[in-house]
Amino acid sequence: MASSKHSGELRRLALSVLQPGFVGTEAPDWVLRDIGDGLASVVLFSRNIVSVEQVARLTAQLRAENPELIVAIDEEAGDVTRIESATGSTRPGNFALGTVDDAELTEAVAADLGRQLRSAGVSLDYAPSADVNSNPDNPIIGVRSFGTDPDVVSRHTAAWIRGLQSSGVAACAKHFPGHGDVAVDSHHDLPAYGAGRDEIAAQALPPFRAAVAAGVRAVMSGHLLVPAYDPDLPATLSRRILQGLLRDELGFDGLIVSDAIEMGAVTARHGIDGATVKAVAAGVDAVCVGGESAEEATVDLLVKGLVTAVSAGELSAERLAEAAGRVREFADWSAGLRAAGSAGEAAGDGVGHIAARRAVRLAGAARDALPLTSAPHVVELAPVTNMAIGKETPWGVADPLRERLPGTTSVRVRGEELEEGTVALESCALEPAAGRPLVIVARDTARHAWMDRAVTGLTTARPDAIVVEMGLPGALTAGAVQIFTHGASAASGVAAAEVLTGTPSR
């Protein structure tokens, strides 16, 4: 009887350190049952979201089982949006905000987002990205970062945290100790950050120090190998990094959350249950899971893995209890934050639109080429995006241009179509644009050789073409009029259309 009671307590502790996702716009029975059994957190993704009102009903349904339930979301605004995944974010992302470099504006945008999330019942946002994008070929961060300068990233990380938390939603600085200088997407494999400790201290850590100073109470670990601290284990599984660096050196005493534990960077070597056990043993307090693996069976597998690991001596009962205690402390604190948050609805595209417009930069003879006075043909060059960016999230300039210049036509072209020869730029881009303005929309041209070739070919054939770059700015295209939005959110697309047409938003 005593052992049965003990195993029941262990199961409750194991459940409490998981932050699972689920499928559906209403809470499945198994999630409600697990909340009753000790599950302390859930995380929402775009598949759970139809509208803010529907999410509010969903979170109320969840909290009927536990009023202090932590409801998390992976909402960065900009390119990575869940709450507006169907329409595109009405706020620009971090890189646009860092380009403007007005900390008060960043704080206002984050506060606006916080009001929207709070009204939906969300209590924890897995944002901001505090990564310094020091590698321009980084496939996973890019415009999700406030920039390449640690001072700029630090300033805006702190401002974003202050803004979000002023609205009653807890922030979570990610991806510790910094995911900006890698060349591999951790969704698929294990990236390495090979810098020495001095370079890491100067380049990657300042934004996390700023986050701690700004009052952040959650930090998300990154799935990357940092040999200067641990040559064998990625940060999420490394006690040297989580305890030695984050807690002891940076003085963080809040909740450590893992990046999605089903990502290839950790599961390829350890399996999803093995990675979970190693993460908690290393110092992770809450394990995020369910971006992809969102079934009841996954939660059962992880709970069983944690309970078995305690029984086998691979994970101490004290460490599991400590993690569960930190989750309880965070739940108490975030419930108080939510209650004290500023009231009122989000301003929608008000401050977000202002920020997106302020982030637009022009190059070339823009004054002579703009505004457009007749309907253009728009060619949108679409890369394969990383898994953090929802495939369903719209982006581009054609739709907002069509609203302002009826008769605007458009085509979206993918790299594989050009390489396979199923689409030719002559027939889909140049011929429809004959006698009309041509607008070329690109996204991270410098990172995609096919896109660079397409932009070069089109601007050579049409020197009067206007290029809109919605990703990281690369080298200037000689002689071309260029518009840089520093992100591909819906707000940034509208801002570009306004600049192209000289018309304000309606």
Side-chain angles (χ1 to χ4, degrees):
M1 190 73 179
S3 63
S4 170
K5 182 183 177 186
H6 177 66
S7 67
E9 288 172 357
L10 274 182
R11 182 175 185 274
R12 194 169 186 87
L13 288 174
L15 267 173
S16 75
V17 303
L18 300 181
Q19 296 193 336
F22 56 88
V23 176
T25 55
E26 295 184 0
D29 289 342
W30 69 265
V31 171
L32 298 176
R33 190 167 58 247
D34 279 352
I35 294 170
D37 289 345
L39 185 68
S41 317
V42 296
V43 56
L44 304 181
F45 294 93
S46 53
R47 62 179 177 237
N48 306 118
I49 294 166
V50 174
S51 66
V52 170
E53 295 74 21
Q54 166 266 323
V55 177
R57 290 193 296 274
L58 170 60
T59 55
Q61 181 189 17
L62 292 163
R63 286 212 176 92
E65 303 294 324
N66 174 7
E68 290 197 347
L69 183 76
I70 299 164
V71 179
I73 196 169
D74 186 17
E75 173 61 53
E76 298 177 17
D79 291 28
V80 178
T81 180
R82 310 299 177 219
I83 201 75
E84 297 183 293
S85 64
T87 56
S89 178
T90 51
R91 303 167 187 91
N94 288 359
F95 193 61
L97 294 170
T99 298
V100 178
D101 197 12
D102 177 344
E104 288 184 4
L105 179 67
T106 294
E107 191 168 335
V109 170
D112 185 57
L113 173 63
R115 286 188 291 274
Q116 184 179 38
L117 295 180
R118 180 173 174 263
S119 69
V122 171
S123 55
L124 169 62
D125 188 5
Y126 295 150
S129 169
D131 308 293
V132 180
N133 198 60
S134 43
N135 182 349
D137 201 38
N138 191 326
I140 185 65
I141 302 299
V143 295
R144 299 168 66 193
S145 167
F146 288 110
T148 59
D149 182 333
D151 290 341
V152 170
V153 177
S154 298
R155 186 159 58 246
H156 291 277
T157 293
W160 212 94
I161 290 165
R162 287 194 304 270
L164 188 77
Q165 296 192 165
S166 74
S167 295
V169 176
C172 178
K174 65 186 184 186
H175 308 80
F176 189 81
H179 215 305
D181 192 8
V182 302
V184 171
D185 183 343
S186 51
H187 287 94
H188 306 298
D189 205 349
L190 180 62
Y193 178 23
R197 290 195 181 197
D198 289 348
E199 184 181 335
I200 292 169
Q203 186 74 17
L205 295 183
F208 291 98
R209 292 187 187 279
V212 173
V216 81
R217 300 295 301 152
V219 169
M220 178 177 280
S221 63
H223 300 329
L224 69 161
L225 198 66
V226 190
Y229 285 94
D230 192 326
D232 302 314
L233 292 168
T236 297
L237 312 182
S238 171
R239 190 153 186 84
R240 295 181 195 175
I241 291 174
L242 300 183
Q243 181 66 45
L245 180 57
L246 180 54
R247 294 219 186 276
D248 297 344
E249 190 174 322
L250 268 63
F252 178 69
D253 64 356
L255 187 75
I256 298 178
V257 184
S258 77
D259 203 349
I261 205 68
E262 65 263 48
M263 287 163 64
V266 289
T267 58
R269 290 156 181 80
H270 306 288
I272 190 170
D273 49 347
T276 296
V277 169
K278 287 180 180 298
V280 175
V284 165
D285 304 307
V287 176
C288 171
V289 63
E292 299 163 73
S293 305
E295 309 81 20
E296 180 182 7
T298 299
V299 174
D300 289 344
L301 176 68
L302 300 192
V303 168
K304 182 181 177 184
L306 289 166
V307 170
T308 302
V310 172
S311 303
E314 297 169 23
L315 171 65
S316 74
E318 293 77 17
R319 170 80 270 270
L320 182 60
E322 178 190 42
R326 280 219 171 85
V327 172
R328 279 195 306 276
E329 288 171 14
F330 182 86
D332 290 345
W333 173 80
S334 65
L337 186 73
R338 194 167 75 249
S342 57
E345 292 300 307
D349 62 1
V351 69
H353 177 73
I354 290 166
R357 182 66 190 267
R358 285 182 62 187
V360 174
R361 300 290 183 268
L362 306 180
R367 198 164 291 168
D368 300 329
L370 301 175
L372 299 178
T373 54
S374 58
H377 182 59
V378 182
V379 180
E380 295 178 335
L381 304 173
V384 175
T385 54
N386 64 63
M387 286 178 66
I389 299 170
K391 286 183 168 50
E392 74 283 356
T393 304
W395 68 279
V397 178
D399 287 344
L401 260 182
R402 201 171 281 113
E403 291 176 16
R404 288 157 180 80
L405 288 174
T408 294
T409 55
S410 65
V411 64
R412 185 163 284 190
V413 180
R414 293 170 176 79
E416 59 267 26
E417 294 172 327
L418 293 178
E419 287 161 1
E420 292 165 1
T422 54
V423 166
L425 290 177
E426 180 70 33
S427 56
C428 76
L430 294 175
E431 288 174 9
R436 306 168 57 192
L438 173 63
V439 176
I440 305 161
V441 183
R443 195 170 179 180
D444 288 331
T445 306
R447 287 197 55 246
H448 302 284
W450 71 268
M451 195 180 296
D452 186 49
R453 288 193 298 271
V455 171
T456 301
L458 289 171
T459 54
T460 299
R462 283 286 302 265
D464 63 331
I466 299 168
V467 179
V468 180
E469 172 59 75
M470 301 193 80
L472 291 176
L476 294 176
T477 302
V481 173
Q482 289 178 278
I483 298 173
F484 300 98
T485 61
H486 304 97
S489 71
S492 297
V494 168
E498 288 180 12
V499 171
L500 284 163
T501 59
T503 57
S505 182
R506 288 186 278 181

